[in-house]
Amino acid sequence: MNYSLLPFHSKRIGLVLCIALSAILLSVSQGELKTWQEISWLDIIGEGGVAVLTLVWLFFLFVSRPPGRVTDMLVLGLSCFMFSALLDLLDEFIRQSSGHWLSVVESIPAPFGMIMMTWALYQWHQEQLTLNEQLRRREAQSRQHHQVDWVTRLYDADYLREHLAKQLQASHSLSVLMLDIDNFDQFNRRYGSQEGDRLLREMSELILMNIRQSDLVCRYAGDRFIILLPDTPRATAITLSAQIKESIRHFAFKTFGTGEAVFHTLSSALVSAVNTDQVEPLLQRLNRQLELSRQGS
């Protein structure tokens, strides 16, 4: 759970608390407490469970989504439902006169909230369709989120090795591209590791924007990335590599605080794999080619 999102929802959390408090004050001010014998504990368990679970859903919403229109609709819809649920629960403790107007107030917010949540969930579904399209550039045939690199949100070297082994068996023209950020260690020393991690994340997004749906990019190690280009002849892979390197060269990374623009370049190595290749020797070949490329530049 992303607790760092909570500060961005301070106003929404305040709204939820105000709505809950208004339900309590409204119910208490308009009735009188029931005797112990009049209370139905079975109803309290059921209705209280609904109210508590609504608050739990709101909590998970706050730690799962950033602020936005869909988030606002979900919060408002759940808050309306919570308002009705709390009034329903408080009815078990507080006696209202028959035909009291509060019963009408209790019944209106819940259906309104359900309608709003239904529309918000539809909008969330549309968001997920868009995100899934983007995820296709990050993933291969399966989602193994325990193998995701926590800095770049790309898959890690273990996932790369597994998928590379499958591609070597299945693809007749697999190109494997290795990219390395030039002078990344100097950038880290000057601006700090947090800025270095942010640079890696933003470069990962930029690389993703420049690959095809069928390609897979992973973080291999440090500032080194590997892109698998299935069914890709060498000439096409060279063109894709040049396009990625050109986009990185024009990327003005703004450092935190000063906003200074820092530009970077990439070194690269490319191997055209065949079915007889093995994973580790192929990766070693890529590393050697990259080091030779850097020495020759």
Side-chain angles (χ1 to χ4, degrees):
M1 289 182 288
N2 190 1
Y3 294 105
S4 63
L5 287 173
L6 286 175
F8 297 102
H9 293 298
S10 57
K11 292 182 179 179
R12 295 169 187 84
I13 294 171
L15 174 66
V16 171
L17 293 176
C18 287
I19 291 174
L21 184 60
S22 66
I24 295 171
L25 293 176
L26 192 62
S27 182
V28 170
S29 65
Q30 298 298 318
E32 56 183 17
L33 288 174
K34 292 181 178 180
T35 63
W36 189 263
Q37 291 77 16
E38 292 178 289
I39 295 175
S40 173
W41 294 105
L42 186 60
D43 288 344
I44 288 174
I45 292 173
E47 295 165 4
V50 172
V52 170
L53 283 175
T54 306
L55 290 171
V56 171
W57 295 343
L58 281 163
F59 170 75
F60 281 120
L61 179 61
F62 290 139
V63 298
S64 301
R65 286 187 58 85
R69 185 169 59 89
V70 175
T71 303
D72 290 340
M73 287 191 294
L74 287 168
V75 170
L76 188 56
L78 281 170
S79 296
C80 289
F81 191 76
M82 176 199 66
F83 182 82
S84 291
L86 281 175
L87 286 179
D88 200 24
L89 172 62
L90 291 167
D91 280 349
E92 301 302 325
F93 295 97
I94 299 172
R95 184 189 304 106
Q96 307 292 341
S97 60
S98 58
H100 195 275
W101 60 267
L102 194 57
S103 61
V104 178
V105 175
E106 177 185 319
S107 62
I108 293 175
F112 176 77
M114 293 297 288
I115 292 170
M116 182 168 291
M117 282 191 293
T118 301
W119 177 247
L121 288 171
Y122 171 75
Q123 295 297 321
W124 196 345
H125 171 68
Q126 296 300 312
E127 283 184 359
Q128 292 305 308
L129 291 178
T130 302
L131 291 173
N132 284 338
E133 286 297 319
Q134 297 177 8
L135 284 173
R136 289 180 187 177
R137 294 176 181 266
R138 297 178 181 266
E139 301 172 341
Q141 285 90 353
S142 61
R143 293 183 176 182
Q144 301 293 338
H145 290 164
H146 65 284
Q147 293 179 308
V148 169
D149 170 61
W150 68 274
V151 173
T152 62
R153 299 302 180 190
L154 300 174
Y155 279 106
D156 60 18
D158 291 335
Y159 184 88
L160 167 72
R161 289 182 172 89
E162 292 175 13
H163 190 63
L164 179 55
K166 296 176 184 176
Q167 285 291 313
L168 288 172
Q169 296 175 359
S171 181
H172 298 290
S173 56
L174 173 67
S175 293
V176 185
L177 175 64
M178 178 177 282
L179 300 171
D180 188 272
I181 305 173
D182 295 330
N183 303 315
F184 182 72
D185 54 343
Q186 295 178 18
F187 178 88
N188 259 354
R189 285 196 297 270
R190 180 173 179 181
Y191 297 102
S193 59
Q194 287 188 344
E195 283 296 272
D197 287 347
R198 190 165 67 88
L199 174 65
L200 289 171
R201 278 193 296 274
E202 296 195 14
M203 279 202 175
S204 300
E205 295 296 330
L206 196 54
I207 292 171
L208 283 167
M209 291 170 61
N210 283 277
I211 63 175
R212 305 163 302 178
Q213 292 286 352
S214 58
D215 303 332
L216 174 69
V217 57
C218 298
R219 185 187 184 189
Y220 177 58
D223 60 331
R224 197 161 289 189
F225 304 89
I226 288 182
I227 306 175
L228 302 185
L229 307 167
D231 300 318
T232 305
R234 186 175 182 85
T236 303
I238 291 173
T239 300
L240 287 169
S241 174
Q243 291 169 348
I244 294 170
K245 291 166 75 172
E246 188 69 8
S247 67
I248 295 294
R249 190 171 68 85
H250 289 93
F251 168 49
F253 178 80
K254 302 297 193 302
T255 57
F256 181 76
T258 63
E260 176 188 359
V262 182
F263 294 87
H264 291 82
T265 57
L266 296 178
S267 296
S268 64
L270 179 66
V271 166
S272 298
V274 295
N275 298 85
T276 55
D277 276 319
Q278 299 297 314
V279 171
E280 290 305 325
L282 187 148
L283 294 176
Q284 292 172 11
R285 209 158 83 228
L286 265 174
N287 278 298
R288 285 196 299 270
Q289 282 194 23
L290 184 67
E291 293 306 322
L292 289 172
S293 172
R294 298 183 107 176
Q295 291 172 13
S297 60

